[in-house]
Amino acid sequence: MYKKTIPKRLRLPIALLVTIAIVIISYASYITYAANQRTISTLSEISHQNQTIFSLELGRDAKIIENAASYIEKLGYASFDDILTFLKHSRIDDQQHLLGIVTPDGKLTDINGVEIDLSQFPNTKEAFNSEETKFFCDSYNDFTFLICTTPIRIDGENKFVRK
């Protein structure tokens, strides 16, 4: 039988080529791993920054509506229409948020006059029983949104909650 062998003069170049191929493949794997780690690290940092910005915006928005509620209380607005008129004419609506008033029976009226019945939402009941600003995630007609509520106290009683 005829046995094929690699000539001695080709063994070294072939071994060198195999070694170079292994080094290139290993280096490419390392580069891919390092790039993936860098991507994950960058995305994590971006996510953390977005969370920080979002938290700061929520805090700012809460302070704005708390101040508005305090101002409404100090002005002595006791009627739903007076408060809604105040909100319509305030500069608070420069925010990218929709402001409105929820009456004790759970009816929300926003500054554009749109009315929504929120009486069955557990968050509405919780907001009326709260003495502080709260954030809720709710949905209506397959639309999910974040709600910030602040009680407006008239004569020591929570009368309206802004959303």
Side-chain angles (χ1 to χ4, degrees):
M1 301 237 164
Y2 179 68
K3 190 175 178 184
K4 287 188 175 182
T5 59
I6 300 174
K8 285 186 177 185
R9 64 183 176 96
L10 291 179
R11 286 183 189 170
L12 182 61
I14 290 173
L16 192 56
L17 286 174
V18 169
T19 303
I20 291 171
I22 290 172
V23 168
I24 289 173
I25 291 170
S26 296
Y27 185 69
S29 295
Y30 171 75
I31 293 297
T32 302
Y33 173 79
N36 285 339
Q37 290 301 102
R38 177 71 181 224
T39 301
I40 289 169
S41 174
T42 302
L43 290 175
S44 176
E45 179 63 26
I46 290 170
S47 174
H48 177 71
Q49 288 176 1
N50 283 342
Q51 179 183 6
T52 301
I53 290 169
F54 186 68
S55 294
L56 289 172
E57 286 183 14
L58 286 179
R60 179 183 52 98
D61 292 345
K63 198 66 174 161
I64 287 171
I65 68 166
E66 286 171 353
N67 289 341
S70 176
Y71 191 66
I72 289 168
E73 291 169 6
K74 286 178 183 170
L75 289 175
Y77 291 142
S79 79
F80 173 81
D81 292 329
D82 290 342
I83 296 171
L84 202 54
T85 301
F86 169 79
L87 291 177
K88 285 180 185 177
H89 293 94
S90 70
R91 299 302 296 160
I92 300 169
D93 61 351
D94 283 345
Q95 308 297 318
Q96 296 179 359
H97 306 81
L98 190 58
L99 298 175
I101 299 291
V102 179
T103 57
D105 61 356
K107 305 291 187 227
L108 165 73
T109 303
D110 70 18
I111 59 174
N112 297 324
V114 176
E115 295 181 359
I116 300 172
D117 182 7
L118 300 178
S119 59
Q120 300 306 312
F121 285 65
N123 293 338
T124 303
K125 294 172 187 168
E126 184 178 339
F128 269 103
N129 296 326
S130 175
E131 295 294 322
E132 60 187 25
T133 299
K134 292 200 173 256
F135 287 93
F136 301 101
C137 190
D138 252 327
S139 60
Y140 183 78
N141 287 344
D142 298 326
F143 180 69
T144 301
F145 46 90
L146 182 68
I147 299 171
C148 180
T149 63
T150 298
I152 298 175
R153 293 169 197 82
I154 298 172
D155 299 329
E157 182 180 340
N158 291 352
K159 294 287 187 175
F160 304 104
V161 178
R162 294 190 40 217
K163 286 193 172 196

